[in-house]
Amino acid sequence: MTLSEKQRRFQKMVAELISYAYERGLEVSLGEAYRTEEQQRMYVEYGRSKTMDSRHRERLAIDLNLFKDGAYIKDGGPYRVLGERWEVLGGRWG
């Protein structure tokens, strides 16, 4: 599968995950989806990432922010629920 094909498949999976979140009463805002090599290097340097081999650099990762009734969710439970759904869709999360 080419990178372009992987990216298109990934985008479809993200759309399905976001729909799944809204069906459960969650709201979603999109975070970072692409990082340059320079950005990734800074993240590694400052401890925000452990590797230069981030899927963000290939546009195959995205950060999601969850909200319930307008309030940002810090608790990991809802993220875990979405992470498990993401795995069902064929993705990896963490």
Side-chain angles (χ1 to χ4, degrees):
M1 185 180 302
T2 68
L3 178 57
S4 177
E5 290 168 332
K6 289 178 185 177
Q7 289 168 336
R8 291 190 307 266
R9 180 177 179 267
F10 172 77
Q11 296 303 324
K12 184 176 183 230
M13 290 168 54
V14 169
E16 290 177 29
L17 185 67
I18 291 171
S19 291
Y20 182 82
Y22 275 89
E23 288 167 5
R24 276 142 193 80
L26 300 170
E27 297 173 300
V28 178
S29 72
L30 304 180
E32 195 170 42
Y34 175 67
R35 294 180 192 158
T36 64
E37 181 177 344
E38 182 179 328
Q39 285 173 307
Q40 189 63 31
R41 186 171 285 111
M42 287 189 316
Y43 284 8
V44 170
E45 181 180 330
Y46 296 122
R48 290 187 63 192
S49 181
K50 295 179 183 177
T51 180
M52 283 298 295
D53 189 30
S54 170
R55 306 287 276 174
H56 284 276
R57 296 198 49 225
E58 298 177 305
R59 293 180 171 91
L60 295 172
I62 190 166
D63 300 326
L64 300 179
N65 305 299
L66 300 182
F67 297 82
K68 179 75 174 181
D69 300 323
Y72 175 65
I73 298 173
K74 296 178 184 177
D75 172 43
Y79 289 93
R80 184 168 291 107
V81 169
L82 291 187
E84 290 168 359
R85 178 64 181 171
W86 185 244
E87 289 176 349
V88 168
L89 295 171
R92 280 188 8 215
W93 72 288

